[in-house]
Amino acid sequence: MKKNKVIIVDDQRTVRGMIKRWIESDPNWEVVGEASNPFEARDQIIEKQPDVMTLDVHMPEMDGIEFLKKLLPQHPMPVIMFSSSTTEGTAITLEALDAGAFDYVTKPSGTPESLIEAKEDLLSKLHAALNYNVSLYQNTKSTTPSKIVSAKRHTSFKTKVIVIGSSTGGTTALRKLLDDVDESFPPILVAQHMPENFTALFAGRLNTELKVKVIEAKDKQLLENGTVYIAPGNFHLEIQKLNGELYTKITQFEKVNGHRPSVDVLFDSVVNCGIANQTISIILTGMGSDGAKGLLNLKNNGSITLGQNKETCVVYGMPKVAFEIGAVMYQLPLESIADKTREIGSK
């Protein structure tokens, strides 16, 4: 059986050894190279042609982010960042994703629980990386959208709310999608799979880049046009109706489909509020199936549903499952979704 090949890049021998043991505990994978710095890694990548690379951030001579930016144009491949610097809520994690990293795993703290969690996280993301659309690496570079709102883009919306679900690759996809959104849009609620403390940073960055206001959602906020509400990490985001008005609802019950926030929880709350027929629902790139059943529930209750197509997804997982069960009414490239939303919402 042909095994999938990994190269490990980390300046600490003990960390490289730990990652190697984890990876090779799965019979589908083999470590074909180890490097303590990007220059060693470059030579091994050319020789070994790995399928996936794990990459540390802080290394001698050249940091991992700079190496990532130099590497991908020449050798596009899924790269999983593995570093204490890519902990929850730090700017360097977003920088790595912007530079083209597929995903990240945080180095464990040393407790048995953290070791198990990190190992499972890494193996899960390695498998997902095999479906990574490497042709999109150039689309993960940072952009600086304009805050200037063009009057001709404004639309008179009849839709009450827009809900979006996303996971792996979603940070970049959301930025690109929301760059085509202006203040005339109805409230937009987003469930993006992210850890705690990470979402506030992500929302803050989007808020400085986009035409619309972007915030990390808090409990019982009145939904307002031209505002994007990002589900806080480790919490579920829902919509609730109070005295005839729509508000956010933040809860922390058990994970759904292995996630908190869960896309299905957000989507189902729209149906529970009785506003599915006044909602546009969108599912973007991501591994797994979270959001697929919720999108079907929305469609069956009158929502217009959109899914990102395979060609523009970093991982065609969530949208694929949704499409296969008949939940997606319009399957579109990422760059067409905002315009389609504008067209549908004004009817």
Side-chain angles (χ1 to χ4, degrees):
M1 181 181 69
K2 182 182 177 182
K3 295 187 176 184
N4 303 304
K5 299 182 292 185
V6 185
I7 181 171
I8 301 168
V9 186
D10 194 295
D11 64 332
Q12 298 182 52
R13 184 189 298 270
T14 55
V15 173
R16 295 199 304 269
M18 178 181 66
I19 297 173
K20 182 177 181 179
R21 290 192 299 273
W22 289 354
I23 292 173
E24 294 191 338
S25 70
D26 186 325
N28 297 301
W29 294 88
E30 65 175 330
V31 175
V32 296
E34 297 180 42
S36 62
N37 62 65
F39 297 100
E40 290 179 11
R42 178 192 58 198
D43 296 337
Q44 293 194 38
I45 288 167
I46 294 171
E47 178 186 356
K48 305 290 188 180
Q49 296 293 304
D51 299 300
V52 186
M53 178 171 68
T54 70
L55 179 63
D56 192 12
V57 171
H58 293 300
M59 292 178 293
E61 302 179 67
M62 181 188 297
D63 68 55
I65 303 296
E66 184 181 354
F67 178 50
L68 196 63
K69 292 176 179 177
K70 293 178 182 295
L71 170 76
L72 291 182
Q74 301 177 54
H75 302 282
M77 71 172 73
V79 177
I80 298 174
M81 305 305 293
F82 194 88
S83 173
S84 56
S85 293
T86 56
T87 50
E88 300 167 352
T90 61
I92 202 163
T93 308
L94 284 175
E95 188 178 349
L97 296 172
D98 287 346
F102 170 71
D103 215 323
Y104 76 97
V105 174
T106 303
K107 285 182 179 177
S109 61
T111 65
E113 295 81 6
S114 71
L115 288 165
I116 293 170
E117 183 179 350
K119 177 183 176 180
E120 292 177 348
D121 196 23
L122 177 60
L123 291 176
S124 172
K125 287 171 180 176
L126 281 174
H127 283 287
L130 294 177
N131 298 313
Y132 182 38
N133 188 352
V134 295
S135 65
L136 296 177
Y137 78 91
Q138 69 271 20
N139 293 332
T140 61
K141 294 177 182 177
S142 295
T143 58
T144 307
S146 171
K147 272 282 189 181
I148 300 172
V149 180
S150 173
K152 67 179 181 180
R153 301 293 285 174
H154 277 65
T155 303
S156 178
F157 274 89
K158 298 177 183 177
T159 300
K160 277 197 170 182
V161 70
I162 297 169
V163 288
I164 302 174
S166 52
S167 185
T168 309
T171 55
T172 302
L174 284 166
R175 181 189 288 108
K176 290 182 178 296
L177 170 58
L178 296 173
D179 188 33
D180 289 328
V181 168
D182 59 51
E183 293 154 335
S184 66
F185 272 65
I188 299 173
L189 289 87
V190 177
Q192 160 72 34
H193 295 159
M194 280 188 180
E196 198 167 5
N197 301 324
F198 193 90
T199 44
L201 177 66
F202 178 58
R205 287 184 61 164
L206 288 183
N207 188 57
T208 64
E209 296 173 348
L210 302 175
K211 308 174 187 74
V212 289
K213 181 180 179 182
V214 183
I215 59 174
E216 182 186 53
K218 305 201 180 309
D219 195 38
K220 293 184 180 177
Q221 290 177 312
L222 178 67
L223 298 188
E224 298 178 342
N225 290 347
T227 303
V228 179
Y229 303 83
I230 305 289
N234 202 33
F235 290 84
H236 293 301
L237 171 62
E238 300 178 69
I239 298 176
Q240 61 181 331
K241 187 178 284 188
L242 301 172
N243 299 319
E245 299 283 356
L246 297 177
Y247 291 81
T248 58
K249 181 180 179 182
I250 304 298
T251 54
Q252 203 177 27
F253 55 86
E254 69 275 4
K255 292 181 178 180
V256 175
N257 303 317
H259 296 286
R260 190 169 55 214
S262 164
V263 181
D264 271 336
V265 169
L266 172 60
F267 285 0
D268 287 342
S269 73
V270 176
V271 176
N272 295 338
C273 281
I275 59 168
N277 62 350
Q278 298 170 290
T279 300
I280 297 173
S281 311
I282 302 168
I283 193 162
L284 301 177
T285 175
M287 59 183 181
S289 61
D290 187 30
K293 290 181 180 178
L295 196 71
L296 182 61
N297 189 20
L298 281 161
K299 179 189 172 189
N300 290 340
N301 282 276
S303 176
I304 303 296
T305 60
L306 285 66
Q308 188 177 352
N309 70 354
K310 179 179 180 179
E311 291 74 18
T312 60
C313 279
V314 169
V315 177
Y316 185 55
M318 288 161 43
K320 179 177 185 287
V321 176
F323 182 77
E324 288 177 343
I325 65 173
V328 177
M329 298 171 66
Y330 299 96
Q331 184 165 243
L332 303 164
L334 179 63
E335 60 270 19
S336 301
I337 292 177
D339 282 341
K340 188 65 176 180
T341 302
R342 185 179 281 106
E343 175 192 327
I344 293 167
S346 61
K347 289 182 178 179

